[in-house]
Amino acid sequence: MKLSKKNLSDRLDHVYDVIIVGGGAGGLSAAIYLQRYRLSCLVIEKGRGRSFWMQDLRNYLGLPPHTHGRTLLQQGQQHLQQLNGDYLLGYVENVVDEGDTFAVRVKVGKQDSTYPVFRSKYLIAASGIIDNLPQLENMQNVFDYAGYNLHVCMICDGYEMADRRCGLFVGSNGAINTAFVLNWFTPYITVFTHGLFEVSDEMRQKLKEHGYPLVETPIKQFIGHDHEMTGVELMDGTSIPLETGLISMGSHYFNEYLKDLPLEWNGQNLVTDPMCRTSHPRVFALGDLKVGINQISIAVADGTLAATQIWRDIRRASPPRIWEENLQSESALIG
């Protein structure tokens, strides 16, 4: 059921088997498997996550290459609702471990907000990350190209940049090292710092040795048409032609609601076992939030693993189901 302010009260007294924070590919995969395992779950999605902005899923098995990320998510939501799973648009503010259950406080609605608290036996953190983009005066100019030929993931889209003139947009000295991996796909790399930091002498020399131009003047705007970025215009009026781009400016992790739980972290990522269980036995983490590679395909698999392990836990702790009529008939015959 799709929940909203109008019907929230129908679920406030219900204890879910699992609450999933994040309705991306990983969260929806977990939810679909949980419902198929005959467990109850609630997906809480803040909206417009990383996969929503993917314009073409060119590396996902079985999908046409021009499938939008939002299309994948819409189909997942429909599948979940067909299985009677619950889905809510809201922002999880905090999670409290009450012992046998988790209390999950959610902000619902940007105006006249309500703050319901839902409860569950298990929690799956699938809230993901969002990539930092170059901050321009007109951000719509960035959104016009991000997710098209202005990429944020080299592992996903390195092939799309093969042997093309590529702008690498970075936010730190360390991020410039991306150039020396990106050159597997293309050697035609120009590094842009947007004037955000001072490049070290050692890094300047390394770029020079590889023949990669370094541009430190801030960017005024991206140039292009019909969602195809063809270059950048700098604040000094200079234009630099490009055929593609990769943004490597870090990410924001949506993990603040977990900070009061006793979990093992590796930086901003949660440490998990092979079934995606964290150091807390009833908290699981998927996709971008856990240590590992950021890929939709991996997040989907993580969702399957976490759901399966939770089902195993609950099944093993539950009494076996018996065919009572047969047992009663056999008892009567013996009697």
Side-chain angles (χ1 to χ4, degrees):
M1 180 168 67
K2 191 166 186 178
L3 301 183
S4 66
K5 288 182 181 179
K6 295 180 179 179
N7 60 4
L8 286 177
S9 58
D10 295 344
R11 290 293 191 263
L12 293 180
D13 293 330
H14 177 68
V15 177
Y16 290 94
D17 290 306
V18 188
I19 288 178
I20 302 167
V21 183
L28 288 170
S29 171
I32 288 167
Y33 267 87
L34 287 165
Q35 291 296 133
R36 289 173 59 85
Y37 284 136
R38 306 186 72 182
L39 300 174
S40 64
C41 72
L42 166 64
V43 174
I44 304 172
E45 165 60 16
K46 67 184 182 307
R48 295 177 177 263
R50 196 185 200 200
S51 53
F52 176 88
W53 292 103
M54 293 183 179
Q55 306 302 330
D56 295 307
L57 293 174
R58 296 177 180 269
N59 63 341
Y60 199 101
L61 179 66
L63 292 180
H66 295 298
T67 302
H68 296 299
R70 60 182 176 273
T71 300
L72 179 71
L73 299 181
Q74 289 167 356
Q75 292 174 345
Q77 292 166 22
Q78 292 169 7
H79 191 176
L80 173 62
Q81 291 178 43
Q82 289 168 2
L83 294 168
N84 297 317
D86 286 349
Y87 183 93
L88 171 66
L89 280 174
Y91 185 85
V92 174
E93 293 200 323
N94 72 292
V95 176
V96 175
D97 186 353
E98 299 179 318
D100 293 333
T101 59
F102 294 105
V104 181
R105 186 173 188 264
V106 186
K107 178 182 178 181
V108 179
K110 293 182 179 180
Q111 297 180 343
D112 299 323
S113 303
T114 59
Y115 297 86
V117 175
F118 299 92
R119 285 178 168 80
S120 66
K121 302 171 187 174
Y122 286 79
L123 181 77
I124 293 179
S127 41
I129 64 175
I130 196 72
D131 300 280
N132 297 328
L133 301 176
Q135 295 300 297
L136 306 184
E137 184 176 346
N138 176 18
M139 284 305 296
Q140 185 58 49
N141 173 254
V142 183
F143 301 145
D144 284 342
Y145 306 108
Y148 291 93
N149 70 334
L150 184 56
H151 305 285
V152 295
C153 177
M154 178 171 50
I155 293 174
C156 302
D157 299 317
Y159 180 83
E160 311 301 330
M161 297 176 268
D163 295 326
R164 306 182 76 189
R165 294 190 62 164
C166 181
L168 174 62
F169 305 92
V170 297
S172 67
N173 259 297
I176 296 178
N177 284 305
T178 303
F180 311 114
V181 182
L182 179 61
N183 62 13
W184 173 265
F185 296 101
T186 179
Y188 312 119
I189 300 168
T190 300
V191 176
F192 296 83
T193 70
H194 197 38
L196 295 175
F197 61 95
E198 182 65 30
V199 179
S200 68
D201 292 339
E202 180 183 2
M203 186 60 75
R204 289 177 188 275
Q205 182 60 31
K206 191 173 182 180
L207 289 172
K208 185 177 180 180
E209 290 171 356
H210 284 73
Y212 304 157
L214 173 65
V215 178
E216 298 177 271
T217 304
I219 299 165
K220 180 178 181 180
Q221 64 176 345
F222 289 96
I223 304 168
H225 54 82
D226 301 323
H227 299 298
E228 181 180 356
M229 187 269 294
T230 58
V232 296
E233 180 186 352
L234 305 177
M235 283 295 189
D236 63 8
T238 304
S239 293
I240 299 177
L242 298 169
E243 295 174 286
T244 187
L246 176 66
I247 298 171
S248 183
M249 303 183 76
S251 306
H252 174 76
Y253 287 75
F254 292 103
N255 57 20
E256 296 85 355
Y257 61 94
L258 297 168
K259 295 300 185 179
D260 291 333
L261 297 179
L263 301 170
E264 181 182 354
W265 297 84
N266 182 350
Q268 292 290 313
N269 296 106
L270 285 161
V271 177
T272 63
D273 71 9
M275 295 301 286
C276 301
R277 195 196 303 265
T278 70
S279 55
H280 189 300
R282 292 182 292 111
V283 178
F284 289 71
L286 313 181
D288 297 337
L289 282 192
K290 64 185 257 296
V291 175
I293 296 176
N294 301 345
Q295 288 270 285
I296 280 188
S297 54
I298 292 174
V300 169
D302 286 345
T304 306
L305 291 170
T308 300
Q309 186 58 56
I310 291 170
W311 170 61
R312 288 174 178 173
D313 288 354
I314 293 175
R315 173 174 58 82
R316 289 166 179 168
S318 301
R321 301 178 72 194
I322 60 176
W323 194 340
E324 294 186 7
E325 292 85 356
N326 281 352
L327 294 177
Q328 292 170 357
S329 299
E330 184 177 341
S331 176
L333 291 173
I334 294 174

